[in-house]
């Protein structure tokens, strides 16, 4: 499967994590060859952080990782879908207290109320 993936010049391919049950798009991320190999080997979603230049595993802070049900490669081989079971809701993978979105009002960015919870709030500290 990996031989058919068309990585970009940075050695990455876009990955869409999609809920295996209802099709909800949970997150957009990147994978390199190492991340895809680990995903195939372990059966859990592994991604590549462009900002931190390392692999990360969704939910690793809380012990609730994304279980892979299916991996799809698009017809051109330049994007991948991980069909996953997302335990709980979307947690902030950065480990920040909370995450937020900003909305563009036509002139400036406005910070919205937090919509994503930290792993501790989402799963409870020490929950595995």
């Amino acid at each position: 499967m990996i031989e058919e993936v068309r990585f970009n010049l940075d050695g990455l391919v876009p990955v869409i994590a999609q809920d295996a049950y209802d099709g909800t798009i949970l997150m957009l991320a990147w994978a390199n060859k190492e991340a895809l190999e680990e995903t195939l080997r372990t059966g859990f979603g592994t991604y590549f952080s462009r900002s931190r230049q390392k692999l990360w595993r969704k939910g690793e802070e809380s012990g609730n990782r994304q279980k892979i049900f299916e991996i799809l490669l698009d017809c051109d081989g330049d994007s991948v879908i991980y069909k996953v079971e997302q335990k709980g809701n979307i947690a902030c993978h950065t480990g920040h207290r909370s995450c937020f979105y900003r909305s563009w009002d036509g002139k400036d960015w406005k910070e919205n109320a937090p919509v994503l919870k930290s792993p501790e709030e989402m799963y409870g500290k020490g929950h595995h």
Side-chain angles (χ1 to χ4, degrees):
M1 175 264 194
I2 291 177
E3 290 75 32
E4 296 183 31
V5 175
R6 292 179 56 194
F7 295 97
N8 66 20
L9 293 177
D10 295 328
L12 302 174
V13 64
V15 176
I16 301 164
Q18 183 178 36
D19 188 283
Y21 301 107
D22 67 12
T24 302
I25 302 299
L26 299 169
M27 58 184 282
L28 305 175
W30 296 92
N32 60 6
K33 186 175 180 185
E34 184 182 1
L36 284 176
E37 287 172 343
E38 183 173 320
T39 296
L40 291 169
R41 186 176 66 252
T42 65
F44 290 94
T46 303
Y47 305 90
F48 182 79
S49 170
R50 293 186 81 165
S51 59
R52 297 180 186 177
Q53 294 295 304
K54 66 178 186 178
L55 298 185
W56 60 275
R57 297 145 193 91
K58 177 67 179 168
E60 65 187 339
E61 312 89 346
S62 59
N64 288 284
R65 293 182 53 196
Q66 287 180 339
K67 181 180 177 186
I68 299 289
F69 280 82
E70 187 177 14
I71 298 176
L72 304 173
L73 183 63
D74 81 344
C75 58
D76 293 330
D78 58 6
S79 68
V80 176
I81 294 178
Y82 288 173
K83 293 225 176 201
V84 300
E85 177 185 22
Q86 174 74 48
K87 301 198 177 207
N89 205 326
I90 302 174
C92 176
H93 73 270
T94 63
H96 293 305
R97 184 82 186 124
S98 63
C99 293
F100 58 89
Y101 284 101
R102 294 177 295 160
S103 57
W104 180 253
D105 68 1
K107 297 184 298 184
D108 210 350
W109 287 103
K110 303 293 183 190
E111 184 176 317
N112 295 342
V115 293
L116 304 183
K117 298 179 181 178
S118 70
E120 292 79 15
E121 290 174 299
M122 187 65 67
Y123 303 111
K125 198 166 184 134
H127 175 75
H128 290 280

